[in-house]
Amino acid sequence: MTASELTLPQTEKKPGRERPRVMGAGKQLHAGPLTYVVLSLFALVSLAPLVWTAIAASRTGQRLAETPPPLWFGGNLFKNMERAWEEAGLGSAMFNTTIVAGAITVSTVVFSTLAGFAFAKLRFRFSNVLLMLTIGTMMVPPQLAVVPLYLWMSDLGWSNQLQTVILPTLVTAFGTFFMRQYLVQALPTELIEAARVDGASSLRVVWHVVFPAARPAMAVLGLLTFVFAWNDFLWPIIALNQENPTVQVALNSLGTGYVPDEAVIMAGALLGTLPLLIAFLLFGKQIVGGIMQGAIKG
């Protein structure tokens, strides 16, 4: 019997028992009409405060006091913006806030990544206790630390200086916990051990292994930290004055006076929000792309 004569028995196909088709991994799920309706409603609700701020900033204070309030834009937007810019001194305030928010963002991202890596992958004594203490600091209201923090900064001679606002927030418990939770899953221990076997030092492991793996989470943490630092009001209004203000401290001066002009206040608030909107428009796509890339790799 030759090899050509050997044939495998053919199974008969039974009707009604076809193998189920599995959707390919590359195919995308399409949303239904209800999904678009719900997302559109959420978008409108989220944009409503910003749109109202722009409408109020384009009107006069007298028109805003009338009933019903205006529901469309007026013609005084740029005039009110110019007045708010000059009265609040937003030029120097924007510069100061950029320095403060930039320094806080960079330091928080770097230090939180290093601390998160230590808690996630390194073994040392009392690591769980230190992690619990770090998380526990998030439960303490920040108002309780205002008085001792102010006394400390006064003893250092840093009153009304930008480092007074920067120093207390160089690293945060939330950032440390956030990076720790991300690195536990996103950074394989075998990758660190392979770098050690190749003779990499601790600094080289952090620079070439930890930072690339943590890049998506670092981008998200950086955006959240920058927004928080830019909008922070409680501690800057205590530590700084109108001679060396941040944006929020400078905007506070617009509400002073016997009869504050609400249109000018809204124009100043809109000017203070524009840098955040520009930053998100420029870097939002890269941040979302980094998040999706990290999710696919994970």
Side-chain angles (χ1 to χ4, degrees):
M1 182 179 294
T2 60
S4 60
E5 296 176 354
L6 292 174
T7 57
L8 296 175
Q10 298 181 355
T11 58
E12 297 180 358
K13 296 182 179 179
K14 296 182 180 181
R17 298 188 61 182
E18 296 181 358
R19 300 177 65 181
R21 295 182 179 179
V22 181
M23 181 178 292
K27 294 184 179 180
Q28 296 182 353
L29 298 177
H30 295 281
L34 181 60
T35 304
Y36 287 103
V37 173
V38 173
L39 292 178
S40 299
L41 289 177
F42 273 101
L44 290 176
V45 172
S46 302
L47 291 175
L50 182 62
V51 174
W52 166 247
T53 301
I55 292 175
S58 64
R59 296 286 183 166
T60 61
Q62 182 180 1
R63 177 64 183 90
L64 294 179
E66 297 177 358
T67 303
L71 299 178
W72 194 245
F73 299 94
N76 296 327
L77 178 61
F78 296 103
K79 179 181 178 180
N80 291 335
M81 282 186 171
E82 182 180 0
R83 182 179 168 186
W85 184 277
E86 294 177 354
E87 292 184 3
L90 288 180
S92 60
M94 289 277 189
F95 180 76
N96 291 341
T97 311
T98 302
I99 295 177
V100 170
I104 292 175
T105 301
V106 173
S107 63
T108 299
V109 170
V110 173
F111 292 148
S112 296
T113 303
L114 294 176
F117 166 66
F119 283 124
K121 296 299 178 179
L122 300 183
R123 296 181 180 179
F124 54 95
R125 290 183 178 181
F126 308 113
S127 60
N128 293 330
V129 176
L130 291 175
L131 180 61
M132 290 299 103
L133 289 176
T134 302
I135 297 175
T137 59
M138 299 171 61
M139 313 301 173
V140 180
Q143 292 81 2
L144 296 180
V146 168
V147 174
L149 189 59
Y150 183 80
L151 295 176
W152 181 28
M153 295 300 160
S154 298
D155 293 338
L156 293 175
W158 289 355
S159 299
N160 195 30
Q161 297 184 23
L162 297 182
Q163 57 264 33
T164 308
V165 182
I166 297 173
L167 183 62
T169 49
L170 287 178
V171 63
T172 60
F174 168 76
T176 301
F177 179 72
F178 177 78
M179 296 305 303
R180 186 261 179 191
Q181 293 301 107
Y182 181 84
L183 290 173
V184 165
Q185 300 293 334
L187 182 59
T189 305
E190 294 78 7
L191 193 62
I192 302 175
E193 294 176 350
R196 293 289 191 186
V197 171
D198 291 339
S201 61
S202 298
L203 182 61
R204 196 173 184 86
V205 169
V206 170
W207 185 259
H208 292 283
V209 178
V210 178
F211 282 172
R215 190 175 300 164
M218 293 171 68
V220 176
L221 179 61
L223 177 62
L224 296 177
T225 304
F226 184 82
V227 172
F228 174 80
W230 187 278
N231 293 328
D232 191 18
F233 176 76
L234 176 62
W235 177 238
I237 195 64
I238 296 174
L240 304 176
N241 56 30
Q242 296 299 330
E243 296 179 359
N244 193 28
T246 59
V247 169
Q248 307 307 324
V249 177
L251 292 178
N252 184 59
S253 64
L254 294 176
T256 59
Y258 187 73
V259 182
D261 193 334
E262 295 184 5
V264 177
I265 296 175
M266 290 297 181
L270 186 62
L271 285 172
T273 309
L274 285 179
L276 297 178
L277 297 177
I278 295 173
F280 184 79
L281 291 176
L282 292 177
F283 305 107
K285 186 176 181 180
Q286 288 79 0
I287 293 173
V288 174
I291 297 174
M292 297 305 298
Q293 181 181 3
I296 294 173
K297 289 182 179 180

